[in-house]
C-alpha cells in the first residue's frame, strides 16, 4: 500500500502513504496481528467505501504507464 501511494499519490488526499497504510490496517486488520490476509483485505475494503474509492484511484497507474 505504501509503495502504491508513493508511486501514485492521490491528489485529493492529505494523508501521507504511511498514514493511509495505518488507517487501512486499523480498519481492516480484524485479528490485530499486524498483517493483512487476502481475505481480511478484500472483505475490509468491500465494507469501507472510503478505502474502496481511495484504493481504486491509487491503483489507476494509467498516468505512470504513459
Amino acid at each position: 500500500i505504501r509503495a502504491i501511494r508513493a508511486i501514485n499519490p492521490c491528489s485529493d488526499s492529505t494523508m501521507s502513504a504511511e498514514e493511509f497504510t495505518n488507517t487501512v490496517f486499523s480498519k481492516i486488520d480484524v485479528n490485530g496481528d499486524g498483517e493483512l490476509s487476502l481475505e481480511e483485505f478484500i472483505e475490509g475494503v468491500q465494507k469501507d467505501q472510503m478505502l474502496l474509492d481511495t484504493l481504486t484511484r491509487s491503483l489507476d497507474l494509467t498516468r505512470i504507464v504513459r
Side-chain angles (χ1 to χ4, degrees), residues 6-54:
I7 291 169
N8 192 18
C10 293
S11 59
D12 62 337
S13 178
T14 58
M15 280 190 268
S16 69
E18 185 170 346
E19 290 170 326
F20 181 73
T21 301
N22 292 338
T23 299
V24 170
F25 271 81
S26 70
K27 287 185 174 199
I28 65 178
D29 181 18
V30 293
N31 63 7
D33 66 356
E35 297 181 5
L36 291 179
S37 67
L38 181 58
E39 292 79 18
E40 281 178 313
F41 181 78
I42 291 171
E43 187 175 323
V45 171
Q46 288 175 340
K47 289 181 179 179
D48 190 300
Q49 191 62 45
M50 185 278 297
L51 289 177
L52 182 60
D53 292 345
T54 303

